[in-house]
Amino acid sequence: MSPLVPLRRFSDGVNQVAIVLCVVCILAMLGISFTAFVYKLFTGSALSWTYSLARLFLPWIGFLSMTISLRYGEHVAMTLLVRSLPRVLLQVAAGLCLAVIAIFAALLVWYGWGYFLNATQVYMVSDQIQVHSKFTAIVVPLSGVIILLHLVQGFALLEHFIDDETMIDELIETTDLEERP
């Protein structure tokens, strides 16, 4: 068994946790917004704190969804250009792509950690609701760590290595099986 197998399983587990956290953040935002809507509907006046509180979840949604999309190969890529390269150059380009992703993740961790440590403000959502800026700042280095962890997946993160012929054949077979009585 390869030593990367446990790390890849851990990466998949962390990805599932990130998905759950994203869903929870989206549901929290929707719940806060729906509360504001219902309150306005019944009372005619607006709650001042709902918008400020709901927007605190946006960094979490943005950064965690970035790690999720990377894990599934749904990131920005010039796939057509890269796939037109010979196989050797394709592997070099993929290696360079993974190196750039690693550098980006390391920068997120390095500068994000400093950002987190220097986050001293408290968001005054309302008189009673105060949220420390560390709540939103921690997601920057955390997402960098998750991206670095996902790099154990190797070339599977890159869409360049998906075999189009195999995928088309699988789609045709699936359609054929559904049409049979």
Side-chain angles (χ1 to χ4, degrees):
M1 182 167 86
S2 169
L4 290 179
V5 171
L7 282 174
R8 287 179 177 154
R9 285 188 189 137
F10 183 63
S11 170
D12 290 338
V14 167
N15 192 55
Q16 293 302 314
V17 170
I19 290 170
V20 169
L21 279 174
C22 272
V23 169
V24 167
C25 287
I26 290 170
L27 290 175
M29 282 184 66
L30 287 173
I32 292 166
S33 299
F34 185 72
T35 301
F37 168 73
V38 170
Y39 186 83
K40 174 96 173 163
L41 190 66
F42 286 113
T43 66
S45 62
L47 291 171
S48 61
W49 54 268
T50 55
Y51 172 75
S52 299
L53 185 60
R55 72 186 176 101
L56 291 177
F57 292 100
L58 285 175
W60 282 89
I61 295 167
F63 277 91
L64 288 178
S65 63
M66 173 180 59
T67 66
I68 295 165
S69 65
L70 172 71
R71 175 60 191 94
Y72 291 114
E74 298 294 330
H75 48 82
V76 177
M78 295 183 289
T79 306
L80 184 61
L81 175 67
V82 174
R83 284 189 184 172
S84 66
L85 296 172
R87 186 73 177 171
V88 174
L89 289 179
L90 174 68
Q91 290 176 334
V92 169
L96 288 174
C97 184
L98 290 176
V100 168
I101 291 171
I103 291 169
F104 174 70
L107 289 173
L108 278 176
V109 173
W110 180 262
Y111 288 106
W113 186 250
Y115 173 62
F116 170 73
L117 292 177
N118 292 323
T120 57
Q121 295 180 338
V122 174
Y123 296 117
M124 300 295 292
V125 177
S126 74
D127 293 340
Q128 292 81 24
I129 303 171
Q130 300 173 10
V131 178
H132 203 281
S133 59
K134 287 189 184 292
F135 171 76
T136 56
I138 191 63
V139 74
V140 178
L142 179 65
S143 63
V145 169
I146 293 171
I147 290 171
L148 286 172
L149 175 63
H150 286 335
L151 286 175
V152 300
Q153 302 290 344
F155 288 155
L157 294 176
L158 304 175
E159 179 175 90
H160 316 332
F161 289 93
I162 297 173
D163 184 9
D164 287 334
E165 296 297 324
T166 305
M167 186 170 41
I168 291 170
D169 290 341
E170 288 174 2
L171 288 172
I172 291 171
E173 288 175 17
T174 305
T175 306
D176 288 342
L177 291 175
E178 290 173 358
E179 291 177 1
R180 291 182 186 163

